[in-house]
Amino acid sequence: MDNLAAHHVVDRSECPAETRRFAPKDSETRRSNFITAVVVGVLTPGLGWLEGFQDWLWLLGFGVAMALLTYGSYWLIARLSGPAVVEIAEDGLAIERKGKRVEIPWADIASVRFRSYGGDSMALSRRSMRGWTNVRLDGHAGPATAEMRSMIEERVAGKMGQGS
């Protein structure tokens, strides 16, 4: 399950007490997508100007076109791949996207890395598979993100300490 787009909202209505569910939040996705598009739309003409291109009207048009292309691309990717829901339980980690659910036992997770460049993501190294499983966490913000990260790191470190 590579590149899952996910956001943070804790939904306790469908989970047992020991399970935490972090569901996507569309407003966070749109906000981060808009900010990325604006940055691209400003940097593109700025880089053209630094390279000596002096036609400001063309640079402005190109910047607007790049911003729209960036926003549209991220919107399309988010709609096609679907947002991810991360569920943390006593027995493992579950990732849901577009009606598919992948459950990963804690003993199967060899290590976990959290990255924030180019969008937030979590990379899982699994004992039963080669390579890394990437989970996109774009739009996660605030204390819920920190809570999810600490819960996952704590459980993975605990299982590694037990020799599992």
Side-chain angles (χ1 to χ4, degrees):
M1 296 198 80
D2 290 343
N3 299 329
L4 299 172
H7 311 288
H8 257 19
V9 173
V10 179
D11 178 12
R12 295 187 179 118
S13 62
E14 303 172 7
C15 303
E18 66 275 356
T19 301
R20 295 298 304 259
R21 186 175 176 90
F22 298 92
K25 190 173 180 182
D26 283 340
S27 63
E28 288 293 325
T29 303
R30 286 191 301 271
R31 185 180 66 81
S32 63
N33 186 1
F34 179 76
I35 290 170
T36 302
V38 168
V39 168
V40 167
V42 169
L43 285 180
T44 302
L47 292 173
W49 179 77
L50 287 175
E51 290 295 321
F53 195 75
Q54 299 296 320
D55 187 358
W56 278 101
L57 188 58
W58 191 88
L59 285 174
L60 180 64
F62 189 68
V64 168
M66 290 303 294
L68 290 173
L69 182 64
T70 301
Y71 188 85
S73 298
Y74 279 108
W75 178 84
L76 184 62
I77 289 169
R79 292 296 172 236
L80 291 176
S81 65
V85 175
V86 178
E87 191 174 291
I88 302 170
E90 289 299 318
D91 57 342
L93 181 69
I95 302 165
E96 297 177 30
R97 182 181 75 181
K98 287 272 189 181
K100 295 181 182 178
R101 180 179 173 96
V102 175
E103 295 183 5
I104 307 168
W106 294 117
D108 189 30
I109 300 174
S111 64
V112 61
R113 290 186 203 161
F114 288 89
R115 299 178 230 164
S116 61
Y117 54 89
D120 293 333
S121 66
M122 171 178 59
L124 302 168
S125 172
R126 297 175 58 184
R127 290 181 173 86
S128 63
M129 297 174 63
R130 293 186 68 169
W132 292 84
T133 300
N134 293 314
V135 180
R136 299 286 302 179
L137 301 174
D138 293 332
H140 289 261
T145 302
E147 180 184 3
M148 182 179 76
R149 183 176 181 162
S150 67
M151 287 177 74
I152 291 172
E153 287 175 339
E154 177 184 310
R155 302 248 168 105
V156 170
K159 294 299 178 188
M160 290 174 63
Q162 294 175 2
S164 295

